[in-house]
C-alpha cells in the first residue's frame, strides 16, 4: 500500500502542474493592421515601405555645440542650399553667460577709471605714514641682525637634546639636580 501511494501522489501533482501552466499561458488574439499594405496601381511597378536615400550619399548635419532645437526653418523634402539656416538652438545659457561677462567688463572698467584718478590729495598723507613706518621697521630689523651677528661667545647659543629622564617631572623635582647641573656653566 505504501509503495503505490507515493507514485499516485506524484502523478496527481504533475497533472495539476500541467493544468496550472495551461491556464496561465497568455491568450494571443490576431491583430488587424492599422492600414492595408501598399499596392501598386501599375502592372510593372513594385510598391513597398522604406526609406528613400540620396543618389550620391547621405549628408550628416551637425553643429559645433549641442543643445535643444527651438525652431526648424526647413521641412523634410525641401531643397536646401549652402549656408541656408536649417534650425536654431536654445541659446539662453549663452546669453546669460554673455551678460555675466559684460558685467565683469563694466566692473573692470570702473576699477580702472578709479585707479587712473588716484592718488587723491587725502590719500597721500596716510600712504606717506605707511612708508615711514615700513622704513622704521626695516631699520629696527637691521639693528637686530647686527646685534645677533656681533655675538662672539658661541656658548650663548646652546643646542642640546634631552631624554625624558633628564627633565623635571610634574610630580616632583626628580631629575632636577642633573638637569640644572647640565645647564650651569
Amino acid at each position: 500500500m505504501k509503495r503505490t501511494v507515493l507514485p499516485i501522489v506524484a502523478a496527481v501533482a504533475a497533472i495539476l502542474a500541467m493544468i496550472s501552466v495551461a491556464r496561465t499561458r497568455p491568450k494571443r488574439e490576431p491583430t488587424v493592421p492599422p492600414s492595408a499594405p501598399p499596392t501598386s496601381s501599375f502592372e510593372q511597378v513594385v510598391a513597398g515601405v522604406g526609406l528613400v536615400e540620396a543618389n550620391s550619399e547621405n549628408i550628416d548635419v551637425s553643429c559645433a555645440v549641442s543643445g535643444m532645437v527651438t525652431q526648424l526653418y526647413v521641412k523634410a523634402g525641401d531643397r536646401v542650399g549652402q549656408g541656408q539656416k536649417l534650425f536654431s538652438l536654445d541659446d539662453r545659457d549663452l546669453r546669460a553667460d554673455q551678460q555675466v561677462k559684460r558685467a565683469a567688463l563694466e566692473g573692470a572698467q570702473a576699477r580702472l577709471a578709479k585707479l587712473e584718478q588716484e592718488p587723491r590729495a587725502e590719500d597721500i598723507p596716510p600712504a606717506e605714514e605707511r612708508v615711514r613706518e615700513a622704513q622704521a621697521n626695516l631699520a629696527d630689523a637691521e639693528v637686530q641682525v647686527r646685534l645677533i651677528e656681533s655675538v662672539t661667545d658661541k656658548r650663548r647659543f646652546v643646542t642640546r637634546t634631552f631624554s625624558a629622564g633628564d627633565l623635571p617631572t610634574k610630580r616632583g623635582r626628580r631629575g632636577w639636580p642633573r638637569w640644572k647641573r647640565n645647564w650651569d656653566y
Side-chain angles (χ1 to χ4, degrees):
M1 174 88 176
K2 284 186 178 180
R3 290 184 178 182
T4 59
V5 172
L6 188 57
I8 292 173
V9 169
V12 169
I15 292 170
L16 288 175
M18 285 189 263
I19 292 171
S20 175
V21 168
R23 291 177 107 193
T24 58
R25 197 169 57 181
K27 297 176 183 173
R28 300 184 193 262
E29 297 180 13
T31 58
V32 178
S35 63
T39 58
S40 174
S41 58
F42 304 103
E43 291 181 23
Q44 297 181 352
V45 176
V46 177
V49 177
L51 176 67
V52 177
E53 294 184 1
N55 221 4
S56 60
E57 63 183 69
N58 286 337
I59 300 170
D60 293 327
V61 176
S62 64
C63 61
V65 294
S66 62
M68 185 175 66
V69 175
T70 56
Q71 190 171 5
L72 288 173
Y73 300 108
V74 295
K75 296 181 289 196
D78 286 355
R79 290 190 179 268
V80 295
Q82 184 177 358
Q84 183 178 349
K85 197 171 186 180
L86 303 176
F87 55 88
S88 293
L89 295 177
D90 184 17
D91 62 345
R92 290 179 289 188
D93 57 339
L94 295 175
R95 282 187 276 140
D97 191 34
Q98 183 184 27
Q99 288 177 349
V100 168
K101 302 280 189 212
R102 281 188 181 155
L105 174 65
E106 291 171 4
Q109 288 172 340
R111 283 191 300 277
L112 176 63
K114 182 179 177 186
L115 290 173
E116 287 175 344
Q117 293 174 357
E118 289 184 359
R120 297 180 303 185
E122 61 266 13
D123 291 339
I124 293 174
E128 288 174 345
E129 184 59 35
R130 286 194 299 271
V131 168
R132 280 193 293 275
E133 182 180 350
Q135 288 171 341
N137 288 339
L138 175 64
D140 186 42
E142 288 172 348
V143 168
Q144 294 293 327
V145 169
R146 277 192 303 254
L147 282 175
I148 292 293
E149 289 174 348
S150 68
V151 174
T152 58
D153 187 9
K154 298 299 180 190
R155 290 183 299 166
R156 294 191 183 264
F157 303 104
V158 178
T159 305
R160 295 194 184 196
T161 57
F162 294 99
S163 64
D166 291 338
L167 298 176
T169 62
K170 288 184 180 180
R171 293 191 315 192
R173 297 176 64 92
R174 194 181 118 236
W176 176 258
R178 222 177 348 162
W179 184 74
K180 186 173 186 252
R181 187 176 45 230
N182 288 340
W183 279 91
D184 288 339
Y185 290 110

